[in-house]
Amino acid sequence: MNRNNDHGRRGGVDLPGVSNAEELQIRLRRYDYLADEGLATAIFLALRLSRPLFLEGEAGVGKTEVAKVLSRLLDTPLIRLQCYEGIDVYQAVYEWDYARQLLHIRTAEALGAGEDRERFEAELYSREFLIARPLLQALEHRGPQPPVLLIDEVDRADDEFEAFLLEILSDYSVTIPEVGTIEAGRPPVVVITSNRTREVHDALKRRCLYFWIEHPSFEREVEIVRLRVPGAGEKLARQVAAAVQELRRMDLYKPPGVAETLDWTEALVALDAKELNEQLVEATLGSVVKYREDQQRVRAPGIEKLLSRVNGGGWGRADT
Amino acid sequence: MQRAAVAFGRVLRRAGIAAGTDRTLEFVRALEEVGMERRQSVYWAGRATFCSRPEDLKLYDAAFRAFWDEMSSGELPPVSRRKERSAVDLDSVQPPKKTVESDPEGEEAVHLRYSPVEVLRSKDFALYTAEEFEELRRLLADLRLSGALRRSRRLEPARRGRFDQRRTLRGALRTGGEALRHRFRAPRWQPRRVVLLCDISGSMAQYSRALMRFLHAGVISGARLEAYAMGTRLTRITRELASKDPDRALSEAADAVRDWSGGTRLGDAMKEFVDRWGQRGMARGSVVVILSDGWDRGDLGVLREQMARLKRLAYKVIWVNPLKAAPGYRPLAGGMAAALPYVDVFLSGHNFESLEELANAIASTIEEGDRA
C-alpha cells in the first residue's frame, strides 16, 4: 500500500517527524494538549486528508482547544469565526468599506475623475475596498502552512448559513460578484465545533471527519491539571480531579468540564491550597459548579460527604 | 482493502448508521493513511469517517467488533444485497391492509365503516377504523403547522429600521454619489421551533397511533419541528419520520423506539429531554407540545421539577391530553396535576378538530393568549 499517494495534489498537511497518529499524539502533548488515541487519529486524518474536523461534546471538554493547539503546532495563524444566530455572509466572509467608498466618490468628484462611470464603479468595488472577514482571511492566507480556521459553535448559526458554509468547505473558494472568485492557495485546516443545541445538517457533517470528545478519565484529568496548572501539587491535582469525577456523577444540570476543573484548580492555587478541605471547597465551589440548583445539590448532603468520597472512593489508590 | 471497506460499510448500514458511498470512500482513504494492521487504528479511522452523531458510537462499536472478528477469520460477508430492514411489528402503527374485498358483506361493510369527513373530524380517534386512519392522512396533509412568530436576528430590507449602508451606497452610485434615498433594514419575523413530545406508553395506545400521524404530518410539512417519543425512555424520531410515506415513516419510528406501548416514566423522559436537548437550546424560545395522558409511574417530584425547567426555557408549553375530552375528567391526579401549573395551554387532542385547535395554539403568540 502506497501510504504517501498524492498528498501534494490534495494539499494534505505534512508535519515533519509525524507519520502516524501516535507521533502526533506525542507532538500534541509537547504543546500541552493531551489527546487520546481516537482524537489523535481523527486530527491526523483531518490533516492528511485535508478534511474539516467536526468536534462535538459537552461544553468545556476542550473542543476549541484543539484548534488553538493546532495553530501553535503548525506555527500558523488561528482564524476564528464565532457563530451566532443571524450571522450572514457580510459578517463571515466580506463587507464593503462604505466610509472609504463614499470618501472615494467625493474625492473623485472633487478631482473631476468620475467621468468614466463604468471604470469608476469597477474601481469602487475592487478588492481595495473590501474588508476581509474570517472566512475570506482564511482563503486569502498565503504561507508555508495553511492557517487554522476555527468555526466555533456552528450549531448557533441558522440553516441558511450552514448551507453557505457547506459551499465554501466544498471548494475552498468564494465568489464575490464584483470582484470574482477568490480561491484558497491550500485548503485551511478547518476545525468545526458544536455543542449540539441542534442537529447540524448531515450534508455538512458528511464533508467532515467526526469526533465526539468525552470528559477525560480520572488519570488523564490529573495529567491535564498537572500540565496546565503547574502551581498545583500532586495531591491537590488528584483530589481536584477526583472531586470533579464525583461531581460529574451527581446528575448536575451542568456537569463541570475540563475548563471548570482548571478554573477551580487555579482558584485553589491562588488561595495557596495544598489539599482540599471543607472551607476551601465551600469558598471556591462557584468556580466549578455554576448553577444555583447544582450548588444546592452539592451542598445538601454536605461538602464533607463529597470529600469523603474523594478521599475514600478509590481515586487515591488509582495511581499505578 | 476496498472490498473490506465496502463490506464494513454494509455492516454499518445494517446497524443503522448512514454509511453512504462517499463515507466508504473516505474510509478507504483513511485506511491508506493509518494502515490495516492495527485493530485500534482501523477502529478510530472508521469511527471518524462513518459516525456523525453520538448515537452512532454505540452502534459502531458493536458493528466494528463483529466486522473485525469476521475479517480476522478471513471471512468477508457475501457481496449479495440482503434485505437490510429488520422485520418489525407494523401492527401497532399501520392499519391492516384493506380486507374489504374478502368481506362477505362487500360494499355494504365499507359504507357502514366509513364516516363522512364532517363526522370524521369530530370522531374520537379511539373509535377510528383502519380505513378512517387512511382518511385521516388526507385531513392531516391540509393541516398547517407552524410555530408562533418571533423576531429573528437576521435583517432584511424594510421601510424603516436600521440604516442600511450597503444598499444606500448602491443607490447613491446611480444618483451621482448623492444618497437621495436612504435604505433601512429590520429584523425578519420567523416561526419559532416546535418541539413535539409524544407519550407512546400502553395507556396512550388508542391515541398515539393518530397522534404519531400528526407528528409525521408536522415533520414532512417542512416546519421547523422536532419530534420525540416518550416511553420509559426518550427517543428522538424527527429523522425517522422524515419519509414522505407515512407507513414507512411510522415503521421506521417504531424501529427506533424500542419500548413501544410499554410503561411511562414521564418525569424521567422529560428530564432526559431537558438535559440532553432542551437546555442546550432546542427548547429555548420554542413552542413545546407534550402529548400525554399524564400517567406517571415515576416520582412526581421529578416531573414537577422538569416542567419548571421547561417552562423557564420554552416560549410556550402546550399539554395535549386525550382524556380531557372524557366527560367528568378533572386533571387532579398524579402527573397531570403536577404538570398543570407549568402549562400555558391545555387541550384535548382526541379528534381531528382538536388537532386543528392545537395547530392554532402552536401558531398563536402568547399575547393573543389562551391560558390554561
Side-chain angles (χ1 to χ4, degrees):
Chain A
M1 182 58 48
N2 176 11
R3 290 264 182 104
N4 296 316
N5 60 343
D6 61 12
H7 283 140
R9 189 168 59 78
R10 288 197 181 113
V13 179
D14 271 316
L15 278 173
V18 173
S19 62
N20 57 43
E22 220 183 316
E23 284 166 12
L24 179 66
Q25 201 177 357
I26 296 166
R27 184 69 66 92
L28 286 168
R29 189 195 187 90
R30 217 177 294 155
Y31 284 85
D32 289 354
Y33 190 86
L34 297 181
D36 57 26
E37 189 187 350
L39 181 56
T41 307
I43 298 174
F44 176 72
L45 287 173
L47 293 175
R48 296 298 280 256
L49 306 176
S50 43
R51 283 281 177 179
L53 183 59
F54 195 107
L55 299 175
E56 276 188 327
E58 303 292 337
V61 290
K63 299 185 290 286
T64 305
E65 213 53 41
V66 171
K68 289 184 183 161
V69 69
L70 278 178
S71 103
R72 291 203 300 274
L73 193 147
L74 296 168
D75 191 21
T76 174
L78 172 70
I79 300 172
R80 177 174 184 160
L81 177 67
Q82 171 66 50
C83 297
Y84 52 88
E85 199 206 325
I87 188 171
D88 61 18
V89 175
Y90 304 106
Q91 285 131 9
V93 191
Y94 70 94
E95 178 70 297
W96 292 105
D97 189 342
Y98 305 108
R100 282 193 57 212
Q101 281 178 319
L102 271 175
L103 232 92
H104 189 68
I105 295 176
R106 292 278 177 259
T107 317
E109 249 170 27
L111 300 175
E115 268 104 81
D116 188 350
R117 203 167 154 273
E118 241 168 66
R119 224 198 62 210
F120 179 69
E121 203 169 314
E123 211 176 281
L124 202 53
Y125 286 99
S126 62
R127 179 65 190 85
E128 200 190 331
F129 293 98
L130 210 58
I131 304 168
R133 302 282 197 217
L135 290 179
L136 186 58
Q137 285 170 20
L139 295 181
E140 284 190 328
H141 178 87
R142 298 289 181 264
Q145 293 279 31
V148 175
L149 171 62
L150 168 64
I151 301 172
D152 216 2
E153 304 190 314
V154 71
D155 50 328
R156 289 196 182 194
D158 42 25
D159 302 348
E160 285 110 320
F161 185 69
E162 222 173 81
F164 172 76
L165 208 54
L166 181 65
E167 236 179 271
I168 290 212
L169 294 181
S170 312
D171 25 318
Y172 296 107
S173 70
V174 58
T175 301
I176 300 168
E178 299 87 347
V179 177
T181 302
I182 295 174
E183 225 171 303
R186 295 174 69 186
V189 174
V190 183
V191 176
I192 305 177
T193 76
S194 159
N195 287 325
R196 248 196 146 207
T197 58
R198 69 185 175 88
E199 200 74 62
V200 171
H201 203 276
D202 261 353
L204 181 59
K205 281 185 163 180
R206 265 209 300 275
R207 297 281 324 153
C208 306
L209 294 168
Y210 176 82
F211 194 80
W212 173 267
I213 304 189
E214 296 272 4
H215 287 303
S217 66
F218 169 69
E219 287 300 332
R220 188 165 292 277
E221 196 149 23
V222 172
E223 266 188 276
I224 294 173
V225 170
R226 299 279 285 157
L227 201 61
R228 301 288 297 274
V229 191
E234 172 78 18
K235 170 133 203 206
L236 184 66
R238 298 189 80 83
Q239 282 185 319
V240 166
V244 169
Q245 297 277 343
E246 289 289 347
L247 288 171
R248 283 190 197 129
R249 291 180 186 178
M250 279 182 78
D251 200 22
L252 302 178
Y253 290 152
K254 171 69 185 73
V258 178
E260 276 79 23
T261 313
L262 294 175
D263 281 354
W264 194 23
T265 316
E266 269 164 10
L268 288 164
V269 168
L271 294 175
D272 227 7
K274 298 283 174 269
E275 62 180 295
L276 286 183
N277 62 39
E278 236 174 283
Q279 290 78 29
L280 279 169
V281 175
E282 181 62 46
T284 53
L285 192 61
S287 60
V288 64
V289 177
K290 294 177 177 168
Y291 273 72
R292 200 176 70 95
E293 288 91 337
D294 286 349
Q295 295 197 346
Q296 282 168 347
R297 193 159 297 191
V298 176
R299 287 200 173 104
I303 301 234
E304 73 275 7
K305 200 84 170 257
L306 176 69
L307 285 177
S308 77
R309 265 179 293 149
V310 164
N311 295 321
W315 299 114
R317 288 185 293 280
D319 46 348
T320 42
Chain B
M1 181 180 286
Q2 289 204 357
R3 219 183 119 213
V6 171
F8 186 36
R10 194 174 318 118
V11 172
L12 288 174
R13 270 197 299 283
R14 215 173 294 154
I17 292 175
T21 323
D22 50 346
R23 296 222 187 171
T24 308
L25 285 175
E26 193 70 9
F27 179 53
V28 173
R29 290 179 58 201
L31 285 180
E32 286 169 2
E33 294 293 340
V34 302
M36 274 188 82
E37 297 79 28
R38 279 188 64 232
R39 181 188 168 120
Q40 278 309 89
S41 308
V42 177
Y43 169 84
W44 289 115
R47 210 171 110 152
T49 43
F50 282 119
C51 296
S52 63
R53 43 188 184 142
E55 289 80 13
D56 289 347
L57 302 180
K58 234 183 218 150
L59 301 174
Y60 176 83
D61 284 356
F64 181 80
R65 217 172 303 127
F67 169 73
W68 186 267
D69 291 347
E70 246 180 291
M71 207 187 62
S72 317
S73 65
E75 263 177 65
L76 285 179
V79 184
S80 74
R81 272 201 151 266
R82 289 236 315 267
K83 203 165 169 7
E84 293 181 3
R85 293 202 45 74
S86 60
V88 254
D89 176 20
L90 295 181
D91 195 49
S92 58
V93 288
Q94 186 186 259
K97 291 274 170 286
K98 280 190 184 173
T99 49
V100 181
E101 282 79 8
S102 59
D103 198 314
E105 279 161 72
E107 293 266 294
E108 205 71 30
V110 179
H111 283 299
L112 281 177
R113 282 207 248 151
Y114 223 88
S115 310
V117 170
E118 277 318 303
V119 180
L120 200 61
R121 286 165 53 87
S122 57
K123 184 169 178 175
D124 194 305
F125 289 137
L127 306 173
Y128 263 40
T129 63
E131 287 76 12
E132 283 167 344
F133 271 108
E134 285 297 299
E135 187 64 22
L136 178 66
R137 182 199 296 197
R138 258 187 298 273
L139 288 179
L140 283 174
D142 291 333
L143 199 62
R144 302 285 317 142
L145 204 58
S146 169
L149 294 182
R150 69 179 177 93
R151 265 157 171 299
S152 147
R153 285 186 44 191
R154 202 170 263 269
L155 302 175
E156 64 181 4
R159 279 169 181 265
R160 63 192 72 182
R162 276 180 243 176
F163 189 62
D164 186 346
Q165 296 186 36
R166 188 177 311 130
R167 282 172 56 247
T168 304
L169 187 78
R170 283 270 156 186
L173 266 182
R174 242 166 283 139
T175 47
E178 212 55 65
L180 294 179
R181 275 186 61 197
H182 291 184
R183 318 266 179 159
F184 300 94
R185 294 192 301 162
R188 186 162 71 184
W189 289 86
Q190 212 179 32
R192 291 172 186 276
R193 180 186 291 121
V194 180
V195 180
L196 300 168
L197 301 162
C198 187
D199 184 342
I200 45 134
S201 61
S203 64
M204 280 285 287
Q206 314 180 57
Y207 293 102
S208 51
R209 192 159 140 186
L211 295 179
M212 285 304 280
R213 282 168 184 271
F214 175 73
L215 262 59
H216 172 249
V219 170
I220 63 168
S221 74
R224 280 181 83 202
L225 191 142
E226 293 286 344
Y228 293 84
M230 291 191 293
T232 47
R233 54 193 201 103
L234 181 85
T235 317
R236 180 166 179 261
I237 50 173
T238 316
R239 202 182 285 250
E240 283 75 13
L241 289 180
S243 165
K244 288 269 184 238
D245 174 12
D247 296 333
R248 197 168 145 221
L250 293 178
S251 87
E252 279 190 17
D255 276 3
V257 180
R258 302 264 155 79
D259 55 348
W260 204 277
S261 288
T264 0
R265 307 184 68 89
L266 259 189
D268 292 345
M270 297 273 291
K271 178 167 188 322
E272 206 181 331
F273 171 73
V274 183
D275 279 352
R276 279 189 52 202
W277 308 92
Q279 185 159 306
R280 298 213 189 130
M282 193 169 282
R284 201 153 277 160
S286 311
V287 178
V288 178
V289 183
I290 299 152
L291 305 113
S292 165
D293 54 11
W295 286 107
D296 188 4
R297 263 167 257 164
D299 176 2
L300 289 185
V302 177
L303 180 63
R304 197 171 294 121
E305 193 180 339
Q306 298 315 315
M307 285 301 294
R309 284 174 80 198
L310 194 59
K311 176 76 191 127
R312 280 204 293 272
L313 289 167
Y315 171 72
K316 188 180 200 177
V317 178
I318 302 177
W319 194 297
V320 177
N321 184 347
L323 296 182
K324 186 176 181 244
Y329 172 77
R330 287 252 166 282
L332 298 178
M336 201 61 249
L340 214 50
Y342 307 101
V343 171
D344 293 309
V345 186
F346 187 39
L347 296 170
S348 68
H350 68 296
N351 62 18
F352 183 75
E353 270 174 354
S354 64
L355 289 185
E356 285 181 317
E357 210 181 316
L358 171 59
N360 282 335
I362 289 173
S364 64
T365 51
I366 282 195
E367 291 74 41
E368 299 163 37
D370 27 7
R371 289 267 163 186

